[in-house]
Each structure stands twice: as C-alpha cells, then as structure tokens.
Amino acid sequence: MLRPFALSLILGLAGAAQAQNTLSDRVTLSHGSYSSGGGLTIAAELRPKDGRTALCGTWAQSERQSSYTSGTARNIVQLASVYVKGQRIYQDLGFMPQTAPRLDYAGAPARCVLTDLPWRAGRVPEVFLPRQQISHSAGGGSDRNITFRQTGAGAMGQGLELVPFLTRNSHLLRLAPGPTVAEGRYSSGGGVRLAAEMVSVNGNAHLCGVWSDLPGQVDRTAPLGHEILRRSSARQGGKTVLKDLSGLRRVRARADYTGVDATCLDTGAPWTAQHASKALSLRLPAQIVYRSTTAQGREVIRFQP
C-alpha cells in the first residue's frame, strides 16, 4: 500500500505525469525474462524533491510473447521493489506508466513518487523483480512450465518468431550475385550486416534480402538485431521504397550472400524497368541502443552504420 504522501504526489501529477515527466540520461534499467521467451524492462531513476528522494520510472514488455505469459507483466511490476545500497525505499511499482519497448529509455514518459529517503547525489536505484511461477506443466498435457526471473534482455527479448511461418516461406528467392550490402557496428563489438536486391514478384517490386548478426557482440546487443532492422529502410532513386526491414530472413554471417535463400517484402509499387537500373541503398540507423546507470558507472552502447 502506498504511503499518504506518495499517494498525494501521484494524484497531483496524474493529469500531467506522462506529458511533463520524462526520464533523463541517468536512467537505470532492470530486465526480467520468461523461460518461454520475451520479458519486461523497468527503467527508473532518482531525483531530488524537497530534500527527499523521488523515484521516477516507466516499464515496457515484449510485443510478442507466449499466450501463457500475456497479461502477467503488470502483476510482476506491482510485486517489484526498489533498493538503494541494500535499503528498500519503495515497494509496488504499479504507479509507473507502461510504454512501448525501446532501445534507449532516456526521454521516455515517466511518473514519480516521493520516498522517505533523504536526497544524496550519486545514488542509483536497484530494482528487484521477484522470481515467479507463471504456469505449471500438467504432466504430458498442453500446459507449459513457465517461470519468470530477473535476467536476459527484458522487453527486447522475443518470445515468438517475428516473421510468421507462412510469410517466411511464401516468397523465398535465392539472391543473385552482387546484392547490395550494408552493415553497422556496435561500439561494444559485433554488429549487423544486411544484403538485399530489388526483384519483380507477380508484377510488383519486392525487396528480397537477409541479415546477419556479426560476431563479437555482448549480451546487451545480442537480441537487438530485429530492432535495428525495424528502424532500417531501403531507398532507390532518391526515394524511400520500404521502411521497416525486420521481415527479412536472418542467416549466418558470411562474406558472400550469393545464392542465399532470402525473404521478399512487397514495396507496394508495380515493377518497372527503373527498379532494375537504379542503384539500391540500405539505410541502417545511427543511434544509442543501450543506456544504463549502475553503482559502478554509466554504460552507453551506440550503433553506427
């Protein structure tokens, strides 16, 4: 149960919390994952308020996850608690608003509550997400034994295949020699490589291609490939022909993608001779893909094409 002063602060900000409160670049991330895939992330930070410490934050969950775990994230958030140097300062983070999963939570809409902790600069929140038994196996039945624990990629973790089975196998085409290739690197190591070409499929212009994770990645970046592709685009003749390339097929990294089975995405435009003659360019985003502040310091990872 919330203390009266915390409740009054929430009620006072209720009408404008999401519009006026946003997280800063000193945000701290905490991740939890389901054993079936997918999970949630809580982004929090501490701020001064009348000599005491205000706790601000937001949370997000994976867009795609098992039906067994759907609807359980909010309950987990309500069971979460926050510690500062081993001292619990708040329990039940249900006051935090839900937001869409993102790479960088700086600037994300947030809500704040006031705690009893006197303000001291340099402290960071440590969010504890309790282990949960989501479902129990019925012993040979269809039920799955699913648990939740504080680990993994959180809201960036995927519980289901991003490209549905029928879509993935309906328009496969082997890439011709010399497809357009683009790649980007994480500042922490490793990266993403993309290979694609424009092809006529049933009279429409399609972008056919594949992508690969490049070796050398750290745990923070390993699950981010699909999100990088979602923010990528294809341009031809100075115009964007397709946004969101996350439907392309993931394959093992290689130097030559000739002959690799690729997924084809419909651009919605009729095929013309210009599609074959104009150069294709693949645009990957340049941005911060991970940011978190811990007691040991701040970690920032960038992706650069």
Side-chain angles (χ1 to χ4, degrees):
M1 178 176 293
L2 297 176
R3 297 179 176 86
F5 60 77
L7 179 60
S8 65
L9 181 58
I10 293 176
L11 292 177
L13 295 175
Q18 296 197 31
Q20 295 182 355
N21 290 323
T22 57
L23 295 175
S24 75
D25 60 2
R26 294 195 62 83
V27 63
T28 295
L29 302 185
S30 299
H31 304 298
S33 300
Y34 301 104
S35 58
S36 57
L40 65 90
T41 293
I42 293 179
E45 70 172 292
L46 303 178
R47 294 179 180 174
K49 176 69 175 180
D50 300 330
R52 295 205 298 265
T53 300
L55 171 66
C56 304
T58 188
W59 68 276
Q61 64 176 322
S62 298
E63 294 178 346
R64 296 173 176 86
Q65 56 184 282
S66 167
S67 61
Y68 291 98
T69 61
S70 178
T72 64
R74 184 171 297 276
N75 181 60
I76 293 172
V77 172
Q78 291 172 344
L79 294 174
S81 54
V82 177
Y83 290 76
V84 173
K85 292 188 174 181
Q87 175 187 352
R88 188 171 67 182
I89 66 168
Y90 207 82
Q91 187 170 1
D92 185 353
L93 305 187
F95 71 89
M96 293 183 177
Q98 181 180 0
T99 189
R102 57 177 70 196
L103 295 171
D104 184 7
Y105 285 84
R111 188 172 291 134
C112 304
V113 295
L114 195 60
T115 73
D116 287 327
L117 184 69
W119 170 254
R120 182 178 298 173
R123 288 170 167 168
V124 296
E126 297 177 58
V127 179
F128 172 71
L129 299 170
R131 185 184 180 101
Q132 295 286 303
Q133 187 72 41
I134 305 302
S135 67
H136 295 272
S137 174
S142 60
D143 291 340
R144 298 185 63 182
N145 186 25
I146 299 174
T147 59
F148 173 89
R149 60 192 183 96
Q150 190 162 351
T151 188
M156 280 300 164
Q158 297 295 334
L160 298 175
E161 171 63 46
L162 287 177
V163 184
F165 179 82
L166 292 178
T167 301
R168 188 176 68 241
N169 289 279
S170 60
H171 290 122
L172 288 182
L173 177 143
R174 290 189 174 181
L175 290 179
T180 299
V181 178
E183 69 177 53
R185 297 280 176 167
Y186 300 108
S187 59
S188 56
V192 173
R193 181 176 295 147
L194 173 64
E197 61 181 334
M198 294 296 292
V199 175
S200 174
V201 178
N202 297 326
N204 275 5
H206 283 62
L207 180 78
C208 298
V210 295
W211 69 275
S212 305
D213 281 316
L214 299 179
Q217 294 191 41
V218 298
D219 291 342
R220 303 298 193 195
T221 61
L224 301 184
H226 276 115
E227 191 65 25
I228 295 296
L229 267 289
R230 181 182 297 182
R231 296 162 181 259
S232 300
S233 62
R235 291 177 61 84
Q236 194 173 38
K239 296 181 179 180
T240 299
V241 296
L242 194 65
K243 296 180 179 179
D244 186 353
L245 308 185
S246 60
L248 297 182
R249 181 169 176 257
R250 180 183 178 185
V251 300
R252 177 180 55 82
R254 62 196 73 196
D256 183 6
Y257 288 86
T258 299
V260 175
D261 286 335
T263 308
C264 296
L265 306 178
D266 194 344
T267 67
W271 176 263
T272 66
Q274 292 182 339
H275 286 109
S277 60
K278 292 183 177 180
L280 173 69
S281 64
L282 304 172
R283 302 289 183 88
L284 281 70
Q287 67 173 95
I288 291 175
V289 296
Y290 182 85
R291 185 202 307 266
S292 187
T293 302
T294 69
Q296 290 71 40
R298 302 174 69 185
E299 181 181 7
V300 176
I301 300 176
R302 292 176 171 83
F303 181 84
Q304 186 67 46

